[in-house]
Amino acid sequence: MNNDERRVLLLDLVEKLNRAGSWTGETHIQKAIYFLSILRNLDLGYSFVLYKYGPYSFDLKSELTFLEATGILERKESPPYGSHFSNGKHASSFRSLVSAHAQGYERDIAWTIDTFFRDHDNVSELERYATALYALKNFEGTHVELADRIHQIKPHISKDEALSAINRISKELV
Amino acid sequence: MSKKVQHEIRDVIHTFVYFNNDEKKVIGSRYFQRLRHIKQLSMTNFVYPGAVHTRFEHSIGTMELAGRAFDVLFDHKNRHSKSVEQLKEQLDDNILVNWRCHLRMAALLHDVGHPPFSHATESLFPVGENHETMTKRIIMKSELTDMLQNGCDIPYNPSLIAKLAVGPKYFQSEPFKNWQLLLNEIIVGDAFGVDRMDYLLRDAHHCGAVAGKFDHDRLIQTLRILLPPRKIGERSEISIGIEHGGIHPTEALLVARYFMYMQVYFHRVSTAYNTHCERFVKAFLNVQNGGFWPIDPDNFIKFTDNEIFSEIYKASQNSLAVGYLEAKRIQDRNHFQLAYEFRPKEIHMFAVDSVKAELEDKLANDFAETDYSVRLSRNQGGKRTPALKDDFSVWNRRVEPDKIEFGKTYSKILDELVSPSQDFVIADRQKKNDIKTCIEEFIITKMGKEFLEEDNE
């Protein structure tokens, strides 16, 4: 996927997350992009490490900062919680200049939102599922061993919660 | 006679910096001493003559602030009990002493992998390498590694020091525990990292840029380990926030950062000098080392600003020398000048690859004989576009002892600031006006006349 396609996809994702009632904070976008990369096999070119709230891409963070600085995305402070993203004042102008489109990925975005955001949009749940997915892809061991490892790295996720997330997400992975 | 256990040096920002025998030993190593010859702001001293300070003093200052921030964050009386629960098994005095030693050592070494002229020549590392990977390599795979493990009063863990110095991005296969993320955040955190605090204050001091100063003492005194607020039923992970009294120093930090980017870091003339420097070093390395900085630590540390500047001086006097034209530009102060500065409302055009490529092709065709450089934040993957605000948590314990909120900044000026960017074209002074006209025509073609009329309104 080239830069233009990736940016249009990000814009579409932000728009559709907002439309689905998601808070659309940075954590939501990070996790949605991670699910799209792994569960829908989209080659978005972001590398992820296990960080606060699960898998996180520093490259994606730079991209969001850049898109915010250029007015393509807008980030608004929303006390008492963190800030959230929406399309910015230059979003439509950007779209009119770019020849790429995200039509080929609409189903992937829709599936991701339906599966993980539609009814809950809960950051803790997103963290658990994304961390479980990261463990399944990057660590070796049985589901119970992976749950133990998650609990060691993220003590605020209990072993039971980690195991339940692994069992659920492994079905999506299949 | 008893052995001295504490040493001190004077520092222009922090008055005195104190350090122990182990830190003294590392400061004395050839890896660290090299930083005396790596200027913090590359060629910025060609614009701000006082900006000749080095990574050496910045690294020592960062160590000092890391220790101060640690002491405040882990002080019993500063703990928000619910937040520090996530660390409860580790809040033992012996563990804390060990963490503090590793944190200060990591802060001391966090920039040890910078190439000559710092960020100006960072692009000349081989693909996949940068100053952070070099820092990690020097800490974990050099003579310094042995010194840390076996030559100090306490056995340091080089891997932990490297983790705290460069962060999780460079340890993909080794997930960080929450306390490791917290200690790394003390050094390089987006909102309250002491690396940023020290370089802003130090750069402002040496450039004479008064607008870059802020009350860092007050800010550090208000740092707290906090759980960012979440909706009911959601949990969060500890990070560094502030007590309510730190809001104004935080706002001052954000404004100082904005002004430092506008006045110093993205200054068009220092950017021109850095461009000439980068081009010269590229030509020099093509002959010396296949076009890239060497990445084995012992060969890497042979290069400092001094060796390179000596080569620039020699090359400027010999028209047959490699890099002669760039060297001559630097020596004769015949640097590129601003041809066109993209306005904030235009920059989004160049987030589109095809538009950016079209402009670059047009300039390449129309000005094939002209020396120029297109600087777009987009070219650097957005990494040089600073975020103006990052979310941070605030604890107002006098009003509500348990509650934590996301910080809302009060100074309206912050709402008006546009992220500083380094989006311009610099060129040979003879042709800069022609390039300007060419870019203006390009923008009208792409966006239409209404675009300019809108601007006039």
XYZ file of all heavy atoms in Angstrom, chain B residues 355-397:
348
model
N 1.419 14.716 -5.912
C 1.559 16.179 -6.001
C 2.984 16.590 -5.658
O 3.600 17.412 -6.354
C 0.556 16.882 -5.052
C 0.768 18.390 -5.079
C -0.870 16.534 -5.433
N 3.490 15.991 -4.624
C 4.873 16.293 -4.209
C 5.842 15.914 -5.342
O 6.726 16.706 -5.691
C 5.192 15.484 -2.952
C 6.574 15.676 -2.411
C 6.739 14.867 -1.129
C 8.158 14.410 -0.970
N 8.505 13.201 -1.691
N 5.628 14.725 -5.925
C 6.524 14.268 -6.995
C 6.415 15.188 -8.208
O 7.412 15.499 -8.874
C 6.172 12.836 -7.387
N 5.178 15.663 -8.481
C 4.958 16.554 -9.621
C 5.740 17.862 -9.444
O 6.387 18.345 -10.374
C 3.456 16.856 -9.699
C 2.944 17.064 -11.098
C 1.437 17.291 -11.086
O 0.697 16.493 -10.466
O 1.008 18.291 -11.662
N 5.674 18.418 -8.231
C 6.419 19.659 -7.971
C 7.922 19.409 -8.101
O 8.649 20.210 -8.718
C 6.094 20.199 -6.574
C 6.934 21.414 -6.151
C 6.614 22.632 -7.024
C 6.739 21.772 -4.689
N 8.374 18.305 -7.535
C 9.815 18.022 -7.582
C 10.276 17.817 -9.032
O 11.359 18.281 -9.413
C 10.138 16.806 -6.702
C 10.079 17.176 -5.220
C 10.280 16.009 -4.268
O 10.093 14.841 -4.690
O 10.603 16.265 -3.100
N 9.433 17.156 -9.845
C 9.778 16.961 -11.263
C 9.847 18.295 -11.987
O 10.744 18.555 -12.782
C 8.737 16.066 -11.955
C 8.909 14.619 -11.557
O 9.935 14.316 -10.914
O 8.017 13.798 -11.863
N 8.865 19.138 -11.683
C 8.814 20.439 -12.358
C 10.065 21.265 -12.026
O 10.687 21.846 -12.911
C 7.543 21.189 -11.931
C 7.335 22.515 -12.644
C 5.952 23.065 -12.351
C 5.779 24.480 -12.897
N 6.085 24.644 -14.322
N 10.420 21.276 -10.751
C 11.623 22.026 -10.355
C 12.869 21.412 -10.990
O 13.760 22.135 -11.461
C 11.762 22.041 -8.824
C 10.732 22.893 -8.064
C 10.878 22.688 -6.558
C 10.888 24.374 -8.395
N 12.906 20.081 -11.030
C 14.080 19.402 -11.605
C 14.212 19.741 -13.093
O 15.318 19.948 -13.594
C 13.972 17.901 -11.401
N 13.073 19.821 -13.803
C 13.116 20.149 -15.232
C 13.464 21.611 -15.474
O 14.316 21.944 -16.282
C 11.759 19.866 -15.893
C 11.576 18.380 -16.094
O 12.557 17.657 -16.268
N 10.336 17.923 -16.052
N 12.763 22.494 -14.742
C 12.922 23.925 -14.995
C 14.231 24.480 -14.442
O 14.699 25.520 -14.893
C 11.757 24.715 -14.376
C 10.436 24.389 -15.067
O 10.457 23.511 -15.958
O 9.411 24.986 -14.704
N 14.782 23.814 -13.441
C 15.987 24.357 -12.786
C 17.094 23.301 -12.713
O 17.753 23.143 -11.680
C 15.632 24.884 -11.387
C 14.640 25.998 -11.422
C 13.276 25.751 -11.272
C 15.050 27.309 -11.651
C 12.357 26.770 -11.340
C 14.125 28.340 -11.723
C 12.778 28.070 -11.573
N 17.259 22.621 -13.842
C 18.250 21.537 -13.873
C 19.652 22.033 -13.545
O 20.462 21.299 -12.982
C 18.231 20.867 -15.251
N 19.917 23.282 -13.861
C 21.275 23.810 -13.639
C 21.389 24.548 -12.305
O 22.438 25.104 -11.996
C 21.636 24.800 -14.770
C 21.508 24.238 -16.185
C 22.510 23.124 -16.435
O 23.670 23.277 -16.008
O 22.122 22.085 -17.022
N 20.312 24.566 -11.553
C 20.315 25.379 -10.321
C 20.475 24.487 -9.093
O 19.946 23.385 -9.036
C 18.986 26.161 -10.211
O 18.843 26.942 -11.389
C 18.971 27.070 -8.993
N 21.195 25.038 -8.116
C 21.386 24.337 -6.858
C 20.262 24.743 -5.899
O 20.106 25.924 -5.581
C 22.752 24.781 -6.284
C 23.442 23.639 -5.600
O 22.883 22.527 -5.558
O 24.564 23.860 -5.104
N 19.466 23.771 -5.454
C 18.383 24.078 -4.514
C 18.066 22.837 -3.695
O 18.554 21.737 -3.984
C 17.123 24.556 -5.267
C 16.510 23.466 -6.112
C 15.548 22.603 -5.586
C 16.898 23.281 -7.440
C 15.009 21.593 -6.347
C 16.375 22.265 -8.211
C 15.420 21.419 -7.655
O 14.904 20.404 -8.404
N 17.231 23.004 -2.677
C 16.826 21.858 -1.857
C 15.379 22.062 -1.406
O 15.026 23.131 -0.916
C 17.748 21.748 -0.638
O 17.281 20.746 0.233
N 14.569 21.040 -1.612
C 13.172 21.098 -1.179
C 13.086 20.460 0.202
O 13.446 19.297 0.381
C 12.252 20.331 -2.163
C 10.794 20.413 -1.697
C 12.409 20.869 -3.570
N 12.655 21.243 1.184
C 12.523 20.714 2.552
C 11.050 20.634 2.891
O 10.393 21.653 3.072
C 13.197 21.638 3.562
C 14.574 22.105 3.207
C 15.607 21.043 3.308
N 15.676 20.424 4.624
C 16.716 19.660 5.018
N 17.715 19.416 4.206
N 16.732 19.129 6.219
N 10.527 19.445 2.923
C 9.131 19.270 3.316
C 9.087 18.310 4.497
O 9.755 17.283 4.470
C 8.317 18.676 2.161
C 7.940 19.633 1.034
C 7.478 18.874 -0.189
C 6.859 20.593 1.499
N 8.310 18.662 5.528
C 8.197 17.779 6.690
C 7.838 16.379 6.227
O 8.285 15.385 6.787
C 7.106 18.277 7.632
O 7.333 19.604 7.939
N 7.020 16.344 5.185
C 6.587 15.090 4.606
C 7.790 14.208 4.198
O 7.756 12.995 4.317
C 5.722 15.432 3.389
C 5.440 14.360 2.410
C 4.389 13.414 2.930
N 4.307 12.279 2.028
C 5.185 11.296 2.011
N 6.185 11.298 2.859
N 5.048 10.302 1.180
N 8.875 14.858 3.760
C 10.054 14.096 3.348
C 10.647 13.302 4.496
O 11.339 12.331 4.311
C 11.161 15.031 2.828
C 10.779 15.655 1.517
O 9.775 15.271 0.933
N 11.562 16.607 1.060
N 10.406 13.802 5.709
C 11.004 13.134 6.865
C 9.973 12.307 7.611
O 10.084 12.100 8.819
C 11.612 14.187 7.776
C 12.797 14.885 7.126
C 12.859 16.343 7.495
O 12.722 16.694 8.643
N 13.049 17.194 6.503
N 8.939 11.883 6.890
C 7.941 11.001 7.502
C 7.195 11.656 8.646
O 6.626 10.994 9.495
N 7.193 12.989 8.658
C 6.461 13.674 9.731
C 7.223 13.683 11.046
O 6.780 14.245 12.028
N 8.397 13.072 11.069
C 9.069 12.935 12.364
C 9.573 14.274 12.886
O 9.840 14.418 14.061
C 10.230 11.956 12.234
C 9.718 10.533 12.225
C 10.814 9.528 12.035
C 10.180 8.155 11.843
N 10.789 7.384 10.810
N 9.740 15.218 11.998
C 10.207 16.521 12.455
C 9.032 17.482 12.634
O 9.216 18.677 12.705
C 11.225 17.095 11.463
C 12.451 16.240 11.306
C 13.447 16.403 12.446
N 14.163 17.653 12.344
C 14.670 18.309 13.372
N 14.505 17.846 14.574
N 15.331 19.423 13.199
N 7.837 16.942 12.663
C 6.682 17.778 12.943
C 6.324 17.595 14.412
O 5.828 16.553 14.797
C 5.470 17.355 12.087
O 5.891 17.279 10.734
C 4.334 18.338 12.215
N 6.618 18.566 15.261
C 6.349 18.352 16.675
C 4.869 18.469 17.005
O 4.176 19.331 16.451
C 7.130 19.484 17.343
C 7.173 20.562 16.317
C 7.172 19.892 14.977
N 4.393 17.589 17.873
C 3.022 17.729 18.363
C 3.026 18.888 19.345
O 3.894 18.979 20.203
C 2.597 16.446 19.052
N 2.074 19.792 19.194
C 2.066 20.945 20.091
C 1.541 20.592 21.475
O 1.949 21.137 22.466
C 1.203 22.059 19.497
C 1.942 23.023 18.586
C 1.022 24.111 18.139
C 3.156 23.621 19.282
N 0.595 19.662 21.494
C 0.043 19.301 22.786
C -0.047 17.791 22.893
O -0.389 17.122 21.929
C -1.374 19.859 22.931
C -1.458 21.337 23.110
C -2.838 21.681 23.581
C -3.305 22.977 22.972
N -4.700 23.246 23.273
N 0.279 17.279 24.037
C 0.051 15.871 24.297
C -0.872 15.795 25.502
O -0.815 16.645 26.383
C 1.372 15.161 24.593
C 2.236 15.047 23.347
O 1.822 14.351 22.426
O 3.299 15.671 23.303
N -1.710 14.742 25.515
C -2.595 14.587 26.671
C -1.765 14.365 27.932
O -0.770 13.651 27.902
C -3.505 13.370 26.466
C -4.550 13.636 25.392
O -4.840 14.805 25.133
O -5.067 12.655 24.834
N -2.157 14.987 29.013
C -1.479 14.731 30.283
C -2.507 14.743 31.413
O -3.548 15.401 31.324
C -0.369 15.755 30.536
C -0.823 17.180 30.588
C -1.143 17.779 31.788
C -0.934 17.929 29.418
C -1.564 19.098 31.840
C -1.354 19.257 29.454
C -1.666 19.845 30.664
N -2.203 13.987 32.466
C -3.147 13.853 33.574
C -2.827 14.861 34.673
O -1.658 15.185 34.901
C -3.058 12.453 34.176
O -3.113 11.500 33.164
N -3.880 15.307 35.340
C -3.713 16.302 36.412
C -4.416 15.805 37.673
O -5.541 15.317 37.622
C -4.319 17.664 35.996
C -4.164 18.672 37.127
C -3.639 18.187 34.741
N -3.737 15.946 38.790
C -4.288 15.552 40.095
C -4.432 16.811 40.948
O -3.440 17.447 41.271
C -3.327 14.553 40.749
C -3.725 14.059 42.097
C -4.970 13.986 42.639
C -2.821 13.552 43.090
N -4.907 13.447 43.895
C -3.614 13.173 44.200
C -1.439 13.361 43.140
C -3.048 12.624 45.355
C -0.879 12.821 44.292
C -1.677 12.451 45.386
N -5.674 17.132 41.278
C -5.931 18.315 42.101
C -6.292 17.830 43.492
O -7.451 17.830 43.882
C -7.068 19.135 41.479
C -7.152 20.529 42.077
O -6.457 20.832 43.052
N -7.984 21.362 41.502
N -5.300 17.397 44.266
C -5.600 16.649 45.490
C -6.207 17.503 46.594
O -6.858 16.995 47.488
C -4.373 15.905 45.981
C -3.274 16.705 46.605
C -2.346 15.737 47.338
N -0.954 15.959 47.000
C 0.042 15.249 47.506
N -0.195 14.257 48.322
N 1.290 15.504 47.176
